[in-house]
Amino acid sequence: MPQIIHEPAVHLEVEQLSVTIKRKKILDHLSLSLVSPNIYGIVGPNGTGKSVLLKTLLGFIRPSAGSVKMNGVRVDPRHDLPVSVGVIIEHPGFIGDLNGHDNLMALGNIRSQLSDADIRAIMEKVGLSDDRKAVADYSLGMIQRLGIAQAIMEDQQLILLDEPTNALDREGVAFLTDLLRELRDQGKLVVVASHDFMWLQLLADQIFELTGGQLNQLEAGQPL
């Protein structure tokens, strides 16, 4: 029997994290420990700091206090992340006059890890198998699906998604739910920020409410 090689676990550790922007404290001594394989939901209305938190986890925003570590290595914008990360934060950006396939191929060529067949397979996986249309002519839902494809196409270990159901219809939300569960079952660590608490209740293994700069864990079935 061939030996099964398990992907290393991902551990994302946040210690006493604070972020202040324009003299306003967005995150206030926040601590959190997330491990794979799990789906974690972060819920809160727009403006509570969900996007700021995800950007800080990636090193896009420098904290005013505290630290973020991935697998024990402190996140530093001057260095590559120690874990492969797929991300959607705010609106996915693509080259409008290229089709979806060519946009993904251009991104994949940066690391030379993906073949044409790989790109076509991921396009089909997210429901965008017809790649002839320029992205400028995509609907908002199609652009969101393309963003999801970009976030998972290199078998990333850590997936961070900010409001991923935006512009998706009911069928798209069902597809995304199944996809994220599949990624979790493959051993990934998935973190989803959303204002849609009911969807997160169906999806996530644990849910945290971001309020007052702090994350409070919610029990299953607990209302906001």
Side-chain angles (χ1 to χ4, degrees):
M1 179 179 292
Q3 182 181 6
I4 298 175
I5 300 175
H6 295 283
E7 185 174 274
V10 180
H11 184 194
L12 183 59
E13 188 174 10
V14 179
E15 295 182 347
Q16 295 296 308
L17 185 71
S18 295
V19 173
T20 300
I21 299 176
K22 295 182 179 179
R23 298 184 179 181
K24 180 180 180 181
K25 183 163 283 190
I26 309 298
L27 306 177
D28 186 10
H29 291 90
L30 180 155
S31 293
L32 186 64
S33 180
L34 307 178
V35 297
S36 63
N38 279 295
I39 300 173
Y40 295 94
I42 299 173
V43 68
N46 293 335
T48 54
K50 300 189 302 297
S51 297
V52 170
L53 174 58
L54 295 189
K55 289 178 181 178
T56 307
L57 295 180
L58 294 168
F60 297 162
I61 294 177
R62 186 181 296 275
S64 52
S67 67
V68 177
K69 293 180 181 178
M70 291 185 185
N71 286 4
V73 179
R74 188 162 183 154
V75 172
D76 187 327
R78 297 169 296 180
H79 305 292
D80 291 338
L81 293 171
V83 170
S84 59
V85 179
V87 59
I88 296 178
I89 297 181
E90 298 173 343
H91 305 290
F94 297 101
I95 302 171
D97 58 354
L98 297 182
N99 60 42
H101 170 279
D102 290 348
N103 267 278
L104 295 185
M105 183 61 76
L107 291 169
N109 284 340
I110 294 173
R111 295 185 180 179
S112 301
Q113 292 182 337
L114 299 176
S115 67
D116 179 80
D118 292 331
I119 297 296
R120 293 189 183 280
I122 200 67
M123 291 282 290
E124 184 172 350
K125 189 177 188 69
V126 300
L128 294 173
S129 55
D130 182 359
D131 62 12
R132 294 171 294 178
K133 183 185 294 187
V135 168
D137 297 324
Y138 273 23
S139 67
L140 292 177
M142 292 173 69
I143 291 173
Q144 192 73 349
R145 285 177 183 254
L146 189 63
I148 293 165
Q150 173 268 321
I152 67 172
M153 67 182 188
E154 294 179 309
D155 197 28
Q156 290 92 328
Q157 298 169 280
L158 170 61
I159 313 294
L160 297 175
L161 304 177
D162 186 15
E163 300 289 359
T165 59
N166 279 355
L168 293 181
D169 57 16
R170 182 178 298 180
E171 178 185 350
V173 173
F175 138 77
L176 179 62
T177 303
D178 290 342
L179 175 63
L180 296 181
R181 287 172 176 162
E182 179 183 336
L183 293 171
R184 187 259 325 270
D185 293 344
Q186 292 172 358
K188 315 296 185 185
L189 172 56
V190 181
V191 182
V192 181
S194 176
H195 66 277
D196 190 342
F197 179 58
M198 292 183 65
W199 176 61
L200 288 179
Q201 281 188 306
L202 294 173
L203 172 73
D205 299 302
Q206 291 186 40
I207 302 175
F208 296 89
E209 180 187 11
L210 183 58
T211 178
Q214 288 281 313
L215 285 174
N216 303 309
Q217 185 172 347
L218 300 177
E219 299 296 332
Q222 179 178 340
L224 283 175

